[in-house]
Amino acid sequence: MGKPTRVINRIRALRFAAGEMTQADLADRVGVTRQTIIAIEQGRYSPSLEMAFQIARVFGVPLDDVFQYPDSEGMTP
Amino acid sequence: MPFEEKLTWVNAVVTVVVPIAYFAIMLGRLGDVSAADISYQWPLLIAIGASVVLTIVGSILAGIGTGISAELRGRSASGDIDRKDERDRSIARHGDLIGFYVSSVGMVGVLALTMLEYEYFWIASALYLSFVVGSFVASAVKIASYHRGF
């Protein structure tokens, strides 16, 4: 199964840092399905800019603390 | 599984089961009567009606199942059923577009049958087949998108 997006994220780490927030809790707070959160965490779906900001706001961090876009395959910015 | 994916599964199953039943009955009748004389109108209307009814019933059952499952997990049932997010909408648009292309190719075949003055039965059957194949492909693309990523 190939990754359809190059956007990487730290949602899983941020959830655990936020008192082990569940995927369902995050989904409720952003207003999406739990499966969408799972897909984003696994890099199977790139959220819209608006949803990305909503996720960052839930954790109270800037957008690029949650999502990164590497320069090329396998390289972090 | 997102509720929208359950509805897609319902649609996929209905668009396979009903046309198979319709074509099995009608092609069976062709052994006794010619295509020019076969009475296809009511069976086709019944097949279309059955698809609508089965889709509604399947959607209701999926909703009830999702509601019960959500309650057992201690989560709001309505939240799981009503929630349709941007990913669901993107997947739906993508699947419907591919399904439309498939149906369009089928329509070219229908046009060819019409120009070649085939019997109405074959033209109606090809038209119906184009719709159901397009609908099934749309559902299959949506299900694959949910699982493989989108």
Side-chain angles (χ1 to χ4, degrees):
Chain A
M1 184 173 67
K3 270 192 172 184
T5 175
R6 283 176 57 198
V7 176
I8 57 173
N9 67 83
R10 296 181 54 244
I11 293 176
R12 178 179 287 267
L14 289 165
R15 280 196 300 107
F16 279 95
E20 301 201 353
M21 181 189 294
T22 64
Q23 291 168 327
D25 289 338
L26 178 58
D28 285 341
R29 293 181 68 173
V30 179
V32 299
T33 63
R34 189 173 63 88
Q35 288 77 17
T36 293
I37 296 295
I38 294 169
I40 294 169
E41 274 195 15
Q42 294 178 347
R44 290 189 288 116
Y45 176 67
S46 284
S48 67
L49 193 55
E50 189 170 350
M51 194 198 293
F53 272 113
Q54 287 172 336
I55 292 170
R57 185 168 290 172
V58 168
F59 295 119
V61 296
L63 187 62
D64 57 4
D65 275 7
V66 186
F67 296 98
Q68 293 88 38
Y69 191 69
D71 286 338
S72 61
E73 205 70 48
M75 281 181 63
T76 51
Chain B
M1 184 188 293
F3 185 62
E4 290 299 317
E5 189 186 344
K6 289 177 187 166
L7 298 184
T8 305
W9 272 106
V10 169
N11 192 60
V13 171
V14 170
T15 51
V16 167
V17 170
V18 175
I20 284 177
Y22 170 78
F23 283 110
I25 292 168
M26 297 312 291
L27 295 178
R29 286 185 188 175
L30 272 182
D32 304 322
V33 269
S34 70
D37 298 325
I38 197 164
S39 177
Y40 68 90
Q41 292 89 343
W42 274 112
L44 187 53
L45 288 172
I46 289 169
I48 293 168
S51 293
V52 172
V53 170
L54 287 174
T55 301
I56 291 170
V57 170
S59 302
I60 291 169
L61 292 176
I64 292 170
T66 302
I68 291 171
S69 162
E71 289 299 330
L72 289 176
R73 283 184 283 125
R75 300 191 61 214
S76 159
S78 60
D80 272 26
I81 295 169
D82 291 345
R83 197 168 290 167
K84 181 178 180 178
D85 59 32
E86 62 174 41
R87 179 169 168 260
D88 293 314
R89 283 187 285 273
S90 297
I91 287 173
R93 270 199 300 273
H94 177 61
D96 289 339
L97 185 65
I98 304 287
F100 169 75
Y101 289 147
V102 172
S103 287
S104 300
V105 170
M107 293 303 161
V108 174
V110 175
L111 205 58
L113 289 176
T114 310
M115 289 174 173
L116 294 169
E117 299 184 349
Y118 269 71
E119 303 296 345
Y120 287 145
F121 167 72
W122 291 117
I123 293 170
S125 296
L127 198 57
Y128 179 52
L129 191 64
S130 298
F131 278 124
V132 294
V133 170
S135 179
F136 176 75
V137 169
S139 298
V141 168
K142 290 175 195 175
I143 290 166
S145 298
Y146 273 114
H147 289 270
R148 296 182 60 190
F150 181 77

